[in-house]
């Protein structure tokens, strides 16, 4: 189109009162709290009123919790948000009210609606709140095939509202909590039950509601996870540490750091970074002067702190060979898949066939592979298959590894076929 044609077209639009089409997407309205920001419940008297209100409420209860990860030691809750029909929204301070078992009992028979439930359940359990029934909106979104399952994305895509952003990673142990943070926290449960209802309808239409119910029941019934064995092995950068003496340095520094962090109630990363621990392990400094020259042990670190870390290094240097950690943790299950081709080519062929079948089925069902069946379960089955692979024997093995009935129904046929694959 020439400049003259563009001018003529613009003149025609102005003369007719028309305007060019706006191809930008319509803005999504920002969610507003329906009853304003509720006051923070921080006394036993105020908590008693909340307990009574929620006991008298009806329907599911939206529940969320805010932690201070990256700021404080551990994963305790520093704010709990709840909403229920007939009770409205409340914000409860677990610092002022550390025992919420009465509140948990008041809503014990109700369905709790959480987003990414496994993240919040441990800290809720610590303050006396344990659900018997739940609905996980993040997991529901995964099963329904949503590409983005964060709470903000789900509320926007399913309900058409935008949640405020920017306060998810703040220090929730701050007191008093700023009003913008409280607003953000209250909005997290504002539409959670509405989202639950919409996702239940979607799952029903896809024929997956029973699958979701089995998943939710498994989460609610799961016991607390056991303490992690040798947590120091999860130090970031650990793959660089090859020698046992160096591993001992990581272990001693990690343990010393954890004790300081717990005593000061701060995140271990704020006491000493993982990168610094690995640097010390690789260098094996003979004294605190040498330690001070390593990254992470800079000039701002005081002499007493340097001596504290050097003492940990010295303890590792003085250990007899018999007390040094072994490289790698004892395997509980099959070896890493990369080693299968050498150790057992037939098993490697089974695993390759199983993975391909699971991938294809997950795409057909429009859900993530790990939600269809966990990769660990597939590996264990392929490494130690039943003597006579049939749907019944495969189903028995899958059940023994914790697979739910819906998962077994879907994958037992394809995995049985995969187990019959040979190396040729």
């Amino acid at each position: 189109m020439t400049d003259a044609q563009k001018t003529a077209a613009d003149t025609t639009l102005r003369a007719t009162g028309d305007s060019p089409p706006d191809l930008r997407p319509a803005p999504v309205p920002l969610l507003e709290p329906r009853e304003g920001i509720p006051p923070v419940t921080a006394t036993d008297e105020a908590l008693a009123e909340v307990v009574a209100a929620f006991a008298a409420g009806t329907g599911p209860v939206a529940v969320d919790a805010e932690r201070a990860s990256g700021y404080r030691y551990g994963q305790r809750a520093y704010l709990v948000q709840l909403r229920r029909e007939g009770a409205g929204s409340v914000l409860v301070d677990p610092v002022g009210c550390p025992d919420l078992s009465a509140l948990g009992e008041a809503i014990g028979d109700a369905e709790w609606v959480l987003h990414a439930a496994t993240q919040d359940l441990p800290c809720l359990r610590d303050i006396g709140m344990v659900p018997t029934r739940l609905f996980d909106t993040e997991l529901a979104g995964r099963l329904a095939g949503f590409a983005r399952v964060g709470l903000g994305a789900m509320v926007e895509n399913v309900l058409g509202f935008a949640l405020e952003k920017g306060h998810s990673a703040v220090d929730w142990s701050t007191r008093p909590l700023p009003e913008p943070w409280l607003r953000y926290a209250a909005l997290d449960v504002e539409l959670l039950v509405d989202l639950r209802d919409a996702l239940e309808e979607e799952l029903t239409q896809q024929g997956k509601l029973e699958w979701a119910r089995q998943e939710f029941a498994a989460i609610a019934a799961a016991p607390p996870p056991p303490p992690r064995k040798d947590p120091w092995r999860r130090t970031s950068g650990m793959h660089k540490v090859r020698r046992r003496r160096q591993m001992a340095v990581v272990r001693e520094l990690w343990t010393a750091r954890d004790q300081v962090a717990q005593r000061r109630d701060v995140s271990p990363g704020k006491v000493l970074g993982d990168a610094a621990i690995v640097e010390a392990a690789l260098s094996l400094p003979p004294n605190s002067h040498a330690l001070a020259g390593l990254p992470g042990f800079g000039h701002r670190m005081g002499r007493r702190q340097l001596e504290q870390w050097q003492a940990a290094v010295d303890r590792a240097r003085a250990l007899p060979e018999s007390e040094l950690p072994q490289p790698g943790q004892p395997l509980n299950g099959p070896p890493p898949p990369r080693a299968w081709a050498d150790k057992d080519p037939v098993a490697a062929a089974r695993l390759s066939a199983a993975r391909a079948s699971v991938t294809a089925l997950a795409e057909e069902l429009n859900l993530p592979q790990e939600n269809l069946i966990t990769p660990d379960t597939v590996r264990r089955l392929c490494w130690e298959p039943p003597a006579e692979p049939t749907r019944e024997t495969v189903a028995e093995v899958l059940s023994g590894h914790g697979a739910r009935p819906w998962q077994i129904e879907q994958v037992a046929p394809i995995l049985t076929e995969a187990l019959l694959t040979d190396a040729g």
Side-chain angles (χ1 to χ4, degrees):
M1 183 182 289
T2 65
D3 289 343
Q5 288 173 320
K6 291 179 182 176
T7 302
D10 290 343
T11 302
T12 302
L13 287 169
R14 286 195 296 270
T16 59
D18 293 332
S19 58
D22 188 351
L23 300 181
R24 294 172 299 177
V28 179
L30 194 65
L31 182 63
E32 299 286 344
R34 280 172 270 193
E35 299 105 12
I37 304 173
V40 177
T41 299
T43 66
D44 291 341
E45 294 76 15
L47 179 61
E49 295 179 8
V50 167
V51 169
F54 273 75
T58 58
V61 183
V63 183
D64 190 24
E66 305 294 348
R67 298 175 298 279
S69 303
Y71 297 93
R72 296 288 184 172
Y73 186 85
Q75 295 294 318
R76 66 171 293 185
Y78 282 95
L79 189 69
V80 177
Q81 309 99 281
L82 303 98
R83 182 176 180 86
R84 191 180 197 186
E85 186 69 29
S89 296
V90 298
L91 304 175
V92 182
D93 178 5
V95 177
C97 303
D99 182 4
L100 299 186
S101 55
L103 179 56
E105 291 171 5
I107 58 174
D109 294 334
E111 178 188 78
W112 295 22
V113 184
L114 301 100
H115 192 81
T118 54
Q119 294 183 19
D120 287 341
L121 288 178
C123 70
L124 290 171
R125 183 182 290 112
D126 289 344
I127 53 179
M129 298 187 65
V130 182
T132 55
R133 293 188 296 130
L134 62 84
F135 190 107
D136 186 332
T137 50
E138 185 203 44
L139 181 51
R142 292 182 185 278
L143 294 176
F146 284 86
R148 299 167 60 220
V149 293
L151 181 59
M154 294 290 289
V155 168
E156 184 170 333
N157 294 336
V158 178
L159 302 177
F161 285 95
L163 289 177
E164 291 186 4
K165 302 175 181 178
H167 301 306
S168 61
V170 298
D171 181 3
W172 288 97
S173 69
T174 301
R175 293 296 182 272
L177 285 165
E179 184 172 312
W181 299 10
L182 296 175
R183 176 188 178 86
Y184 165 91
L187 289 174
D188 271 357
V189 293
E190 185 79 15
L191 292 181
L192 207 49
V193 173
D194 302 72
L195 180 60
R196 172 236 179 271
D197 293 343
L199 288 172
E200 182 179 66
E201 183 177 345
E202 179 65 28
L203 289 168
T204 300
Q205 291 176 358
Q206 294 187 23
K208 298 176 180 176
L209 182 58
E210 177 56 28
W211 301 2
R213 286 174 173 161
Q214 291 180 26
E215 293 298 306
F216 302 157
I219 294 173
R228 183 174 284 129
K229 180 178 175 59
D230 292 345
W232 58 270
R233 291 184 185 270
R234 296 177 63 87
T235 302
S236 180
M238 190 69 190
H239 62 281
K240 302 176 186 177
V241 181
R242 304 290 186 183
R243 292 158 46 198
R244 294 175 62 200
R245 183 74 58 187
Q246 295 171 333
M247 292 179 186
V249 173
V250 173
R251 182 177 63 186
E252 292 296 329
L253 281 171
W254 189 97
T255 302
R257 179 185 68 173
D258 193 68
Q259 292 170 348
V260 172
Q262 187 169 8
R263 185 174 68 248
R264 291 169 49 189
D265 190 19
V266 296
S267 169
K270 288 188 173 298
V271 175
L272 186 67
D274 280 9
I277 290 178
V278 171
E279 286 290 341
L282 296 177
S283 301
L284 289 172
N287 51 56
S288 58
H289 178 73
L291 181 67
L294 298 178
F297 297 92
H299 63 278
R300 288 184 297 176
M301 187 172 287
R303 182 174 60 84
R304 288 183 60 186
Q305 287 179 295
L306 283 171
E307 291 175 350
Q308 172 184 249
W309 304 131
Q310 183 61 43
V313 174
D314 292 342
R315 286 195 297 273
R317 291 169 61 95
L319 285 174
E321 287 286 329
S322 60
E323 295 182 21
L324 296 179
Q326 295 298 321
Q329 294 172 289
L331 281 175
N332 177 22
R338 63 180 179 272
W340 285 33
D342 293 331
K343 290 179 178 292
D344 190 338
V346 176
R350 288 194 297 259
L351 181 61
S352 178
R355 283 174 162 175
S357 298
V358 169
T359 297
L361 181 58
E363 290 177 356
E364 180 184 334
L365 296 174
N366 191 28
L367 49 76
Q369 296 177 42
E370 63 270 19
N371 292 114
L372 176 58
I373 190 72
T374 67
D376 181 66
T377 298
V378 175
R379 287 193 296 269
R380 290 173 183 271
L381 173 69
C382 290
W383 186 252
E384 294 184 355
E388 295 185 12
T390 65
R391 291 192 183 186
E392 291 72 22
T393 59
V394 168
E396 185 177 351
V397 173
L398 294 175
S399 178
H401 290 311
R404 265 69 72 188
W406 78 268
Q407 294 175 312
I408 296 172
E409 181 182 0
Q410 294 297 321
V411 303
I414 62 171
L415 291 180
T416 301
E417 185 175 341
L419 292 181
L420 300 175
T421 301
D422 58 37

